[in-house]
């Protein structure tokens, strides 16, 4: 036994507890005189009644010599003079293979109230993105299990993709299909800012028992404090990083990054930041690249990430959408008009892009995908003329071909929620369209 390592750890243990006292509470913010702490450190607020639970809070800033704290939950029985205890450490979670199949809260604790399984490792939720030179290039495709994506918007292992859509267009259904059908080893799913009713629906209807068996779900519902919603995103990303460094190919699915940005806006406004673009604070646009760049490839494994973005009023150029699209390696757009026509997934193939597809698939695959895109584009450009009967058959060879192929293309792009579409089968079916 290495006693020197044990004695070194004992020497590092804090011998004294550091306390401060609450000075005032304003809105979401608790202001205290002391203790000595750094931004990001966790503190415990002790209520005046001993039978009440300790409130966990995090240092988010300073006001003069006072410390600004934001609690992880609602405050009860807190008054001026209540003790604030410093832990001198940031939030860490317990993570390991024993968590697979679990549903966790934003601080990494099981939501069903059970105890953590044995054999887990402590892991800090806030990590730095990997050094760019330590990231291997994306060289291999990963099976998504959605025919339209695997054939026309092929995703690589370690790619980061945004799924842009308005409300009710099928984001959750698409994430459920990816979680069940993907060839990744583990899914980490973050449900941030969801309605409480929708969590159970997603777990049972969209994800299903088969998907949950190889998934870890992190939940922070809309009724929870802003800091907890933000931490849900960091916790899910940290879990993904742990498994990536253990050599796994991980799928991280976050629904939605827009609500993470909204939570950061609430925190920023509460700490006194000025609102800028559409009310978002500068810290939102500093936080997004730091969070999104943590995923991707590393020397040991990969995190293939899917971030849903709520498009306000179907405006793809609103600030969060524009920022996220510039950071990620591709974007899939779900179109409301396609959904209204009854085609699912409602993927707008012409408006979507996978920035690494040309580097990871064969020349034949690229040629056939471009052929289908060309036919689809030709049909869309002349759709109104065709529908009102103003187009005369034989006027254009390209338009005639597009009209002839349209039923087959529609059938190819449609996929039932429970239908499985292996990557090789999807590519073969694409090539068969043009035989």
């Amino acid at each position: 036994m290495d006693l020197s390592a044990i004695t070194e750890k004992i020497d590092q243990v804090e011998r004294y507890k550091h306390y401060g006292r609450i000075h005032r509470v304003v809105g979401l913010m608790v202001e205290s005189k002391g203790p000595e702490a750094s931004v990001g450190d966790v503190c415990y607020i002790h209520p005046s009644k001993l039978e009440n639970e300790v409130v966990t809070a995090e240092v988010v800033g300073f006001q003069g010599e006072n410390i600004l704290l934001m609690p992880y939950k609602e405050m009860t029985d807190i008054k001026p003079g209540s003790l604030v205890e410093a832990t001198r450490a940031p939030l860490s979670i317990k993570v390991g293979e024993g968590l697979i199949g679990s549903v966790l809260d934003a601080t990494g604790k099981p939501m069903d109230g059970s105890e953590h399984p044995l054999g887990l490792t402590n892991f800090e939720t806030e990590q730095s993105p990997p050094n760019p030179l330590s990231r291997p290039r994306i060289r291999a495709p990963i099976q998504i299990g959605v025919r339209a994506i695997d054939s026309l918007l092929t995703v690589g292992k370690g790619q980061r993709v945004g799924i842009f859509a308005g409300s009710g267009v099928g984001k959750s259904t698409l994430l459920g299909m990816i979680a069940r059908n993907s060839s990744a080893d583990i899914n980490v799913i973050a449900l941030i800012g969801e309605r409480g009713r929708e969590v159970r629906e997603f777990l049972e209807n969209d994800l299903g028992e088969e998907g949950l068996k190889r998934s870890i779900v992190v939940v922070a519902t809309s009724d929870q404090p802003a800091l907890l919603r933000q931490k849900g995103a960091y916790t899910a990303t940290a879990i993904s990083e742990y498994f990536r460094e253990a050599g796994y190919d991980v799928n991280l699915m976050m629904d939605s990054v827009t609500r993470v940005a909204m939570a950061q806006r609430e925190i920023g406004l509460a700490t006194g930041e000025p609102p800028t673009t559409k009310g978002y604070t500068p810290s939102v646009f500093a936080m997004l690249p730091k969070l999104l760049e943590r995923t991707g490839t590393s020397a040991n494994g990969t995190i293939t990430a899917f971030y849903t973005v709520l498009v306000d009023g179907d405006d793809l150029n609103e600030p969060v959408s524009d920022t996220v699209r510039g950071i990620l390696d591709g974007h899939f757009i779900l179109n409301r008009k396609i959904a209204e026509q009854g085609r699912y997934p409602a993927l707008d193939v012409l408006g979507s892009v996978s920035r690494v597809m040309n580097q990871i698939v064969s020349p034949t695959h690229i040629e056939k995908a471009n052929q289908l895109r060309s036919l689809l584009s030709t049909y869309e450009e002349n759709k109104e003329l065709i529908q009102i009967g103003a187009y005369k058959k034989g006027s254009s060879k390209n338009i005639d071909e597009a009209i002839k192929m349209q039923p087959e293309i529609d059938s190819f792009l449609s996929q039932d929620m429970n239908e499985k579409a292996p990557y090789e089968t999807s590519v073969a079916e694409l090539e068969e369209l043009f035989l």
Side-chain angles (χ1 to χ4, degrees):
M1 185 181 292
D2 187 2
L3 291 177
S4 61
I6 296 172
T7 54
E8 187 180 338
K9 286 188 176 180
I10 292 171
D11 288 338
Q12 292 171 356
V13 172
E14 194 74 49
R15 292 176 173 81
Y16 302 97
K17 288 188 176 180
H18 298 261
Y19 289 97
R21 288 191 180 275
I22 287 182
H23 175 55
R24 65 174 184 162
V25 176
V26 182
L28 305 173
M29 203 65 60
V30 178
E31 198 172 314
S32 75
K33 291 184 180 295
E36 185 182 323
S38 305
V39 171
D41 282 0
V42 171
C43 292
Y44 299 130
I45 302 173
H46 294 269
S48 54
K49 293 181 182 177
L50 293 176
E51 64 269 18
N52 286 354
E53 282 187 26
V54 169
V55 176
T56 307
E58 184 174 304
V59 179
V60 293
F62 305 97
Q63 183 75 46
E65 294 185 0
N66 292 340
I67 289 175
L68 299 179
L69 299 154
M70 190 168 273
Y72 286 161
K73 62 178 183 179
E74 298 298 326
M75 293 178 290
T76 53
D77 198 33
I78 300 297
K79 62 183 184 182
S82 293
L83 286 177
V84 179
E85 178 189 341
T87 64
R88 312 291 286 273
L91 178 69
S92 65
I93 56 171
K94 290 186 178 293
V95 61
E97 291 185 7
L99 289 182
I100 299 173
S102 302
V103 181
L104 310 174
D105 66 15
T107 59
K109 296 174 182 173
M111 287 199 75
D112 59 6
S114 63
E115 294 295 321
H116 276 302
L118 298 175
L120 302 183
T121 305
N122 279 328
F123 199 79
E124 287 189 8
T125 59
E126 295 206 30
Q127 304 283 337
S128 298
N131 185 316
L133 295 183
S134 72
R135 290 181 182 269
R137 289 178 58 190
I138 299 169
R139 297 185 181 277
I142 185 171
Q143 174 181 297
I144 300 302
V146 178
R147 188 162 45 244
I149 294 174
D150 281 339
S151 58
L152 303 173
L153 299 160
T154 310
V155 176
K157 288 182 180 179
Q159 187 174 347
R160 301 158 306 145
V161 179
I163 299 174
F164 294 75
S167 56
V169 187
K171 296 185 302 297
S172 297
T173 303
L174 180 59
L175 289 183
M177 289 174 72
I178 294 171
R180 292 193 308 275
N181 301 336
S182 169
S183 61
D185 302 318
I186 295 170
N187 300 308
V188 180
I189 304 169
L191 303 178
I192 310 297
E194 290 285 341
R195 303 175 188 89
R197 170 186 65 80
E198 292 180 334
V199 173
R200 194 78 179 259
E201 285 183 9
F202 177 82
L203 293 174
E204 294 181 2
N205 296 342
D206 298 325
L207 186 58
E209 189 178 341
E210 178 188 348
L212 186 59
K213 280 180 182 175
R214 59 191 190 100
S215 301
I216 299 170
V217 183
V218 178
V219 177
T221 51
S222 58
D223 59 297
Q224 293 178 326
L227 188 62
L228 213 53
R229 280 177 270 139
Q230 184 220 48
K231 286 298 166 189
Y234 283 82
T235 296
T237 306
I239 292 170
S240 303
E241 288 170 317
Y242 171 85
F243 283 106
R244 175 180 64 187
E245 299 316 307
Y248 290 90
D249 290 323
V250 184
N251 269 354
L252 170 63
M253 287 169 270
M254 191 176 292
D255 186 14
S256 71
V257 75
T258 307
R259 293 194 180 111
V260 178
M262 288 177 175
Q264 180 63 43
R265 176 173 64 183
E266 285 183 48
I267 295 166
L269 291 172
T271 55
E273 278 190 80
T276 52
T277 315
K278 281 202 172 180
Y280 287 101
T281 56
S283 63
V284 173
F285 303 104
M287 175 272 295
L288 284 172
K290 286 181 182 176
L291 176 65
L292 304 182
E293 285 289 347
R294 286 169 60 180
T295 55
T297 59
S298 81
N300 300 317
T302 63
I303 301 174
T304 307
F306 299 89
Y307 299 98
T308 69
V309 181
L310 281 168
V311 182
D312 188 20
D314 292 340
D315 177 16
L316 290 168
N317 296 315
E318 60 94 25
V320 173
S321 301
D322 206 36
T323 302
V324 171
R325 191 166 57 245
I327 297 167
L328 300 179
D329 311 316
H331 54 271
F332 299 162
I333 295 173
L334 300 185
N335 190 306
R336 193 177 300 279
K337 287 183 179 178
I338 295 174
E340 288 168 356
Q341 291 167 9
R343 193 183 91 197
Y344 288 97
L347 190 66
D348 180 359
V349 173
L350 298 177
S352 303
V353 173
S354 170
R355 292 182 184 170
V356 303
M357 178 177 174
N358 289 355
Q359 303 165 30
I360 58 175
V361 301
S362 68
T364 305
H365 185 168
I366 295 169
E367 180 192 343
K368 300 302 181 186
N370 287 340
Q371 270 186 268
L372 192 145
R373 280 175 172 273
S374 177
L375 289 171
L376 204 54
S377 176
T378 302
Y379 186 84
E380 289 299 320
E381 286 171 6
N382 299 279
K383 191 173 183 178
E384 289 185 9
L385 290 175
I386 296 165
Q387 288 180 337
I388 64 173
Y391 172 73
K392 186 178 178 182
K393 188 177 180 181
S395 302
S396 166
K397 185 180 177 183
N398 288 341
I399 298 176
D400 288 345
E401 181 71 10
I403 294 170
K404 178 187 171 186
M405 293 290 293
Q406 190 58 31
E408 291 181 57
I409 292 172
D410 264 349
S411 176
F412 177 78
L413 296 177
S414 299
Q415 184 174 339
D416 186 76
M417 177 181 165
N418 297 311
E419 181 187 348
K420 292 189 176 181
Y423 175 81
E424 292 79 8
T425 306
S426 296
V427 175
E429 287 179 6
L430 172 66
E431 293 176 2
E432 284 172 13
L433 279 176
F434 300 99
L435 289 177

